[in-house]
């Protein structure tokens, strides 16, 4: 086993899920030995397709963006490198969907989030009933607190779900809306003309092709399009924070989670001894979380720091370690954990669990200093639950999706414009649905009005989002000064 350095975990106020964050001192492979450069001659690239709105990335943000743009009347293409939609919420096995309700039980992340979850069958979704959202009944809060759906003694809408069901439902929603889905295709370079993004060059088994669009939505999660197009971005994050780590999630089958939860909740001293033994044997410890079924346990770690999700050597190292962690944790839990006597390795995620790489430098920003204000921003395009009972809901501005200078492009997902603290919750799946839906709707309106995305009329955008079921604060100022229209 690698010698590891376990770090003290920084936990934001809404987090109760425990995990060691560590950095190993030894790597499987040395760094690649490449030197010099290779000349690639220029060539003509065939155009695969042209559309109004191109969404790059089919994760939570990209799926919501494509759906919203199509609902707003645009001709939409979604480009996705894997064989499914949903990103980390499906292929990444992040099947615990974070809070969508405020501290009074009001659902504030709606729209696409409601539509997609309402289509989930009862057998594929587990969480508290609507009448219990916001409940502070100690018994209910204790029960759901063990099942990732109660925080600070308050029951929240924070379900777990079947990732295969979500893949299928997301796919069918987009097809119904008229979106052209292109799987197994990886955007390589943006097409930039006169300071505006007008499509991408992508790679697939068919080779290198171009996809033209009037507006592009970067939903890659890592800002691959906007960074390569020359937009400004930020990378600062607090070292050692759980949000800076990465890992491949995995699931164990053949378990009895009710029995495990009873052990963990009813005998704290014995559980602490068990966790200590795990650290002694493994060098770190990752407890399991519930899934949508009692016989499947979810592991969202161990979380590793000191490795970059933008470096192919580091990504390879992360995957190798994570697959080994799956086996070592399975063996340890079978031998020592109540409810895991018959456990087996069920599935490791085909997608790396990345929490942070780049963040857009936008015309607006979600800021830590605004958490306590409770102010509805003039260009509000959605509302996020706050991280603590002491804060009201947090207004998300349209400017967080708009690059400072680059035209023809919007951003949705974990790489929107926000500070390092706010990124801790703005990267979560419901917030990605929220910002993706806003980006998609805005992209469609920009095409319809023949203006650049930064010049989209905020009143019109808010009206379209409300039509799509998005929750917006009634007192948000909608008479914000509009930038001069720029013809597309």
């Amino acid at each position: 086993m690698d010698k590891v350095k376990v770090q003290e975990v920084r936990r934001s106020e809404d987090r109760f899920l425990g995990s060691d964050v560590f950095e190993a001192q030894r790597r499987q492979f040395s760094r690649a030995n490449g030197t010099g450069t290779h000349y690639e001659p220029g060539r003509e690239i065939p155009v695969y397709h042209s559309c109004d709105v191109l969404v790059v990335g089919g994760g939570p943000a990209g799926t919501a963006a494509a759906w919203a743009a199509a609902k707003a009347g645009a001709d939409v293409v979604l480009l996705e490198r894997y064989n499914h939609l949903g990103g980390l919420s499906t292929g990444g096995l992040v099947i615990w969907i974070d809070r969508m309700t405020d501290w009074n039980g009001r659902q504030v992340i709606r729209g696409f989030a409601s539509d997609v979850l309402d289509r989930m069958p009862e057998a594929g979704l587990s969480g508290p009933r609507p009448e219990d959202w916001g409940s502070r009944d100690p018994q209910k809060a204790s029960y759901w607190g063990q099942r990732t759906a109660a925080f600070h003694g308050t029951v929240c809408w924070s379900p777990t779900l079947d990732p295969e069901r979500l893949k299928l439902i997301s796919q069918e929603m987009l097809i119904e809306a008229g979106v052209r889905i292109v799987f197994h295709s990886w955007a390589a370079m943006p097409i930039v003309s006169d300071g505006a993004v007008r499509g991408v060059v992508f790679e697939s088994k068919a080779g290198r092709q171009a996809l033209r669009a009037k507006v592009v939505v970067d939903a890659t999660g890592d800002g691959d399009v906007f960074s390569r197009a020359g937009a400004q971005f930020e990378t600062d994050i607090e070292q050692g924070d759980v949000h800076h780590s990465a890992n491949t999630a995995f699931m164990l089958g053949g378990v009895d989670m009710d029995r495990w939860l009873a052990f963990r909740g009813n005998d704290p001293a014995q559980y602490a001894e068990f966790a200590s033994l795990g650290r002694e044997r493994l060098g770190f410890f990752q407890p399991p979380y519930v899934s949508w079924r009692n016989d499947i346990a979810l592991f969202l770690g161990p979380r590793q720091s000191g490795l970059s999700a933008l470096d192919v050597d580091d990504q390879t190292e992360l995957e190798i370690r994570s697959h080994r962690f799956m086996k070592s944790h399975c063996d340890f839990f079978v031998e020592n954990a109540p409810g895991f006597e018959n456990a087996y390795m069920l599935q490791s995620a085909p997608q790396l669990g990345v929490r942070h790489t780049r963040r857009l430098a936008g015309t607006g920003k979600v800021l830590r200093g605004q958490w306590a204000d409770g102010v509805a921003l003039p260009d509000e395009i959605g509302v996020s639950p706050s991280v603590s009972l002491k804060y009201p809901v947090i207004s998300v501005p349209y400017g967080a999706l708009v690059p400072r200078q680059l035209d023809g492009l919007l951003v949705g997902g974990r790489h929107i414009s926000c500070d390092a603290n706010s990124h801790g919750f703005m990267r979560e799946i419901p917030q990605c649905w929220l910002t993706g839906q806003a980006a998609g709707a805005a992209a469609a309106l920009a095409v319809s009005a023949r203006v650049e995305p930064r010049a989209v009329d905020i009143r019109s955008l808010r009206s379209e989002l409300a039509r799509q079921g998005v929750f917006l604060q009634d007192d948000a100022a909608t008479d914000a000064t509009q930038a001069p229209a720029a013809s597309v």
Side-chain angles (χ1 to χ4, degrees):
M1 183 183 70
D2 286 358
K3 184 178 181 181
V4 300
K5 178 183 179 182
V6 177
Q7 302 175 0
E8 180 182 355
V9 179
R10 291 176 49 85
R11 292 185 176 88
S12 57
E13 295 184 68
D14 67 330
R15 293 294 180 274
F16 69 96
L17 302 180
S19 175
D20 290 338
V21 178
F22 74 93
E23 182 175 355
Q25 298 178 12
R26 182 170 65 85
R27 293 172 179 262
Q28 182 64 40
F29 302 116
S30 61
R31 286 290 182 183
N33 63 3
T35 59
T37 60
H38 168 72
Y39 173 71
E40 180 177 313
R43 55 178 168 156
E44 291 186 348
I45 299 172
V47 175
Y48 166 77
H49 193 73
S50 297
C51 61
D52 291 336
V53 175
L54 168 62
V55 179
V56 182
T63 304
W67 182 83
K71 287 288 187 180
D75 173 29
V76 183
V77 172
L78 186 149
L79 194 72
E80 168 55 40
R81 62 174 170 162
Y82 293 106
N83 69 346
H84 61 269
L85 300 176
L88 288 182
S89 65
T90 55
L93 297 183
V94 186
I95 59 174
W96 163 54
I97 308 301
D98 208 343
R99 294 176 297 117
M100 291 169 278
T101 48
D102 66 13
W103 298 111
N104 294 317
R106 174 183 58 172
Q107 186 175 353
V108 295
I109 297 185
R110 303 178 189 170
F112 179 83
S114 294
D115 201 328
V116 70
L117 293 180
D118 285 349
R119 298 184 186 217
M120 292 289 293
E122 185 176 350
L125 190 71
S126 178
R129 298 170 299 179
E131 56 266 31
D132 289 333
W133 299 350
S135 172
R136 292 185 174 87
D137 175 80
Q139 187 173 359
K140 291 181 179 180
S142 175
Y143 177 86
W144 288 111
Q146 290 187 306
R147 292 163 176 81
T148 66
F151 303 80
H152 300 302
T154 303
V155 178
C156 303
W157 179 223
S158 180
T160 54
L161 50 77
D162 180 345
E164 293 303 320
R165 295 276 192 174
L166 183 57
K167 288 178 185 178
L168 178 60
I169 289 170
S170 299
Q171 169 187 294
E172 296 306 308
M173 285 178 66
L174 265 58
I175 292 173
E176 289 173 12
V179 176
R180 175 188 287 266
I181 302 171
V182 185
F183 286 136
H184 300 291
S185 298
W186 191 310
M189 287 297 294
I191 299 171
V192 182
S193 176
D194 297 326
V197 179
R198 299 301 183 211
V200 299
V201 173
F202 70 98
E203 296 273 3
S204 73
K205 287 292 187 179
R208 196 168 177 89
Q209 296 173 290
L211 213 165
R212 291 173 174 163
K214 296 174 183 176
V215 175
V216 175
V217 176
D218 185 344
T220 60
D222 300 310
D224 293 337
V225 179
F226 71 67
S227 64
R228 292 170 188 172
Q232 296 173 291
F233 59 88
E234 298 175 318
T235 59
D236 62 303
I237 200 74
E238 294 186 39
Q239 297 293 331
D241 193 305
V242 65
H243 306 305
H244 187 58
S245 59
N247 64 279
T248 297
F250 60 90
M251 297 190 297
L252 301 183
V255 306
D256 183 343
M257 285 301 290
D258 285 340
R259 187 159 165 249
W260 160 261
L261 292 174
F263 161 68
R264 181 172 182 175
N266 298 336
D267 197 340
Q270 190 174 356
Y271 173 76
E273 184 178 340
F274 169 81
S276 177
L277 180 64
R279 292 186 178 93
E280 178 184 333
R281 296 271 185 90
L282 305 175
F284 39 76
F285 178 69
Q286 173 64 55
Y289 310 139
V290 299
S291 73
W292 76 103
R293 293 173 56 109
N294 183 59
D295 59 348
I296 295 177
L298 171 67
F299 288 76
L300 294 175
R303 300 179 172 103
Q304 307 163 59
S305 70
L307 296 168
S308 170
L310 300 177
D311 183 294
V312 68
D313 286 337
D314 284 359
Q315 287 180 308
T316 302
E317 181 72 20
L318 281 163
E319 297 287 11
I320 289 172
R321 292 182 190 176
S322 292
H323 296 150
R324 290 172 175 171
F325 297 155
M326 183 181 187
K327 180 184 183 302
S328 63
H329 273 69
C330 183
D331 292 345
F332 177 77
F333 273 76
V334 167
E335 181 182 350
N336 298 285
F340 281 78
E341 293 84 356
N342 299 311
Y344 59 90
M345 295 189 294
L346 177 62
Q347 180 184 9
S348 62
Q351 293 184 224
L352 185 64
V354 179
R355 293 167 177 81
H356 178 269
T357 50
R358 308 179 182 100
R359 303 190 313 277
L360 177 74
T363 61
K365 198 171 189 178
V366 181
L367 296 169
R368 170 66 179 83
Q370 297 172 342
W371 292 5
D373 296 343
V375 173
L377 299 173
D379 59 341
E380 177 183 280
I381 46 80
V383 172
S384 171
S386 65
V387 299
S388 169
L389 288 163
K390 66 184 180 181
Y391 299 126
V393 294
I394 296 169
S395 182
V396 181
Y398 178 57
L401 319 182
V402 182
R404 290 177 183 170
Q405 296 177 326
L406 191 66
D407 283 324
L409 183 121
L410 287 164
V411 170
R414 68 171 182 254
H415 53 204
I416 67 161
S417 179
C418 60
D419 59 23
N421 289 114
S422 300
H423 178 266
F425 61 89
M426 289 307 301
R427 68 175 178 84
E428 299 290 354
I429 289 162
Q431 284 79 0
C432 289
W433 284 335
L434 182 161
T435 57
Q437 183 167 6
L445 293 181
V447 171
S448 176
R450 299 182 62 82
V451 299
E452 294 294 351
R454 69 180 68 256
V456 165
D457 180 77
I458 297 300
R459 288 176 294 249
S460 298
L461 175 56
R462 284 172 53 85
S463 177
E464 175 60 27
L465 290 172
R467 189 185 71 83
Q468 294 186 12
V470 173
F471 173 79
L472 298 167
Q473 298 182 89
D474 292 336
D475 59 347
T478 57
D479 58 348
T481 301
Q482 300 297 307
S487 178
V488 174

